[in-house]
Amino acid sequence: MHRKSITLFQSLRFRLIASVVSIEIIMLSLLVWNNISIIQATHTDRLRDTATSMIQQIARTSGNYMVAVDYATLEDYLSNIIDYQELSYLVVLDRDEHAVIALGEFPVQPWPVLETHPAQVTDGVFDVTDVITVAGQPMGRVLMGFSLSLMDEAIRKSRTRGITIAVGEIVLTVIVTVLIGLGLTRRLGILAAAAQEVGKGDYSIKIPVEAADEVGRTASAFNYMVAEVSNRTQQLEAAESRSRTLLAENRNLVHASLHVQEEERKYLARELHDELGQCITAIQADAESIRDLSRDGDSRIKTSAGAILDVSSRIYEVVHSMMQRLRPGILDDLGLVEALKDALAAWQERNPNTHCLFNASGDLANLGERINITVYRIIQECLTNVSKHARAGTVTITLTGTADLLMLDIKDDGRGTDLSAPRSGLGLIGMRERVESLGGEFRLDSRVGEGLSIMISVPLPGDEAQS
Amino acid sequence: MVLIKWREGYMNLFQPCADGIRSACVVLCCSLILAFPVAATTGENRHCQDSGPLVFGILPFISAEQLVFRFTPLVNYLSENLKVPVRIETAPDFVEFARRTHEETYYDILFTAPHFFTRASQKAGYRLIASVDSPEMWAVIVVPKQSEIHTLQDLEGKRLATVPPLGLATLLVRKTLFEAGIDPDVDLDMVITPTHDASLLSSYHGVTDASALMQPPYAAASKKVRDSMRIVARTESTPHIPISVAPWLGEACAAEIAELLVNMGTTLEGSAVLQHNRFTGYRQGDPSVYERLNDLLSR
């Protein structure tokens, strides 16, 4: 496991900072925009309300002066109002629309277009009017203009202040986020490096727990996990070691058991041949003598001697067959290939519906008794399985010997088997044990309806080992 | 008579004018008169049309609000029937009203106190065309009902609210007090208020001990106020309010206005106007009945 370099966009630090800053910018932009809108609306509404209030007040107050045609007093009164800093001009018109009082920077006629809200203003002056009435009777009207310059200045200042605060907050956020991100990712980097070391098998590593935050808790959990993994690994290694020892012992036991079994079989075959075979041969010779001596005598003796001959012949055949199964003598006399040919011929004779093909190549003459009997027994077991279960049309056996490896491949085109299904037979297990006891590999491949294939490879010992 | 509308009112061109501007204006207006002689009336109710908007000047004896409220129906009635705009105007106070009347002949139609009319007639040539057709009017001195003042003599040392010095009520009350042996300038404290309403409310609220005002405004005051007041004395009577016209207004126009006023009670609209003003009607004006008021102002 090697440490990959992280691209900018994969970096948690970059993504954290980019996300926070993006959200900050968006939210603050919305906030500033909203505040500016509110400020603008507040200012314009205030100006509208101020204008409405002032002009209504003036219109109400001016009525009596208008009726009394007391313009001088009215002008004195309004002169105080014109000092209001947002007020640009103030004009009082009589019932004939003649300007009887004009204060401030009043416009020349025609009078400006009136607006109902400062937002409608295009010339920088909010022009409003109200009718002067007395007892419901119109006596003229008041025309007032409110300069938007002060309001615009206030809005501009508010906007500048809002944007400055927003920019300051963004900068502060970036700094804080970068610092937090650096601290966070540095500790995560330590965690990642430690995990890599653990992956390499170094369980002695321990991360310093710098704080009681989430990363600190993760570091504590990591340290605990490493300790547990180390403990469990040690336990597993011990168990594995014991298993390996047991397996080796088991294989030795199997090997010894098989060896003993073969030796016992060999002994039994020799005893059958040397002792029982000689006795049967003697019985047969005696029976033939009795039969020959009684040729002119009692016919019953002849009959009994013939029966003894038949029985002894039958016994001999059975014994011979047992001897072949226990220890094929041809294996010791003519070698593996000839023994296999003989066994395959006998099998073919018993299973005429299955065509058996045998190919042998390479140097198979000096494989040693252990390998010879192992290969012979495996093929013998496979053919038994084929005749019992496979219902195969053809079974092909390929035996190849190289300088250091013996390979055996047995394939049939029978109905195959489901390897995942549990099985009760010991045949396959025995084959595997035999091969593995020789240090070889045993592979089985089969699918339902697609036949079965067994591949075996056995390492060949050197000349010294064989001898 | 021809007027030029000046920045602050009308200027009577036939009044003596000392400065050069007025002289120039006189020459200019004479030229206009020669070039555009006053058109003869062309039909019924058209005599005032050439006079342009008419200013209906009313003495500020009550607040401007009340004044407009009370006289708007009358002005509208005249305007509709004369086919010419008629506008209510007044002045900040009696003195200014008198000055405008006497010096500027500012108002085309004059609705003023009887004693002011005599002066306007004499000084500015206003012509009487009608009078309010009601019994003569007088001034009253009223006090709160629980007041200890019961006679004129009880007023000595007290505070008496009244209208401005030139107001008819003040003049009548002063005359009455003198006749009762009380010197209003010495024996009591005359408190000047701008209008009759203000005078009445002054004692009603306890600011002064008594109030002097003309009887018609007192009768028109709210019942709640009147019920809590008591009349201590009344003055001599005077003719009711005269209605006059400026000297330059044509005879036909003046006659038309007079006819409208006198016959007001014969129409449904006119009756409503009279009822609104609490007048029974108008009658032809008789200047001689106002002559006895000349000595009132001389005091």
Side-chain angles (χ1 to χ4, degrees), chain B residues 150-162:
Chain B
H150 294 280
T151 64
L152 288 177
Q153 280 65 34
D154 293 339
L155 286 170
E156 287 190 37
K158 304 294 185 185
R159 291 162 59 84
L160 174 64
T162 186

Side-chain angles (χ1 to χ4, degrees), chain A residues 194-216:
Chain A
Q196 283 186 335
E197 292 301 315
V198 171
K200 290 174 184 174
D202 181 4
Y203 299 115
S204 63
I205 195 161
K206 188 168 184 179
I207 299 173
V209 180
E210 297 177 356
D213 56 9
E214 287 84 350
V215 179

